[in-house]
Amino acid sequence: MAAPLSPHPGLPGLKNGEHWACLGLGSNIEPRKNIHMAVALLCASLNVVAVSTAWETPAVGRPAPDFINAALLVYTELSPEQLKYGNNRLIEHWLGRVRSEDPNAPRTIDIDILVYDGEVLDPEVWEQAYLTVPLAELVPGLIHPQTGQTIREAAEHLLEITDIKGCPEILAEFPCPSETMADSRPGG
């Protein structure tokens, strides 16, 4: 698979055989602790190149505690299936994730592959602030194939119309891009 879009400018290039992926993380059971632990475990198991700001967002789909969400840019030799089942699901299990039939159930951690080598794997990245805003920090030039809108433009719009709050202190110790959406938010 060729990488049609370079990840965030200024980051090191891929080595031969490597792919880049953006992972979305979310937690609403002890979210500060579990997001932090998930990022630490992902840093130990993958080449994490950049970590977004953590963002607090209301739960979607049903009344529940607020979520903390973030995104990571990783370089990996793993296929999407290996990344999902051989790495991400294992970390979810370690952190006590229990899957149920309810897609909006509270969770200790959820780790999804949002983008792999420039291909968007979850179309909600264009519509849900909890995905769009952190992702825009990592790959601001990602372009919607039908509208031509960049992920950064989508994030700026969603920042204006949704209840989302930056929590930069949660993941401050991890690598991050030089400019974040939190920096561009009024009062951020």
Side-chain angles (χ1 to χ4, degrees), residues 12-13 31 43 47 49 53 83-84 86 97-98 101 107 123 154-155 180:
C43 284
N47 181 7
V49 179
T53 302
L83 185 56
K84 180 177 181 174
R97 170 75 191 266
V98 176
E101 292 183 20
R107 64 217 43 201
T180 69

Side-chain angles (χ1 to χ4, degrees), residues 66-113:
D66 288 350
F67 274 81
I68 299 292
N69 296 97
L72 278 68
L73 173 64
V74 303
Y75 291 175
T76 182
E77 293 182 2
L78 300 175
S79 69
E81 294 78 19
Q82 292 168 323
L83 185 56
K84 180 177 181 174
Y85 296 106
N87 191 80
N88 300 353
R89 288 274 174 97
L90 184 58
I91 291 171
E92 289 177 345
H93 177 75
W94 284 341
L95 293 177
R97 170 75 191 266
V98 176
R99 294 188 176 275
S100 72
E101 292 183 20
D102 180 358
N104 298 313
R107 64 217 43 201
T108 56
I109 195 67
D110 187 24
I111 305 171
D112 294 317
I113 305 170

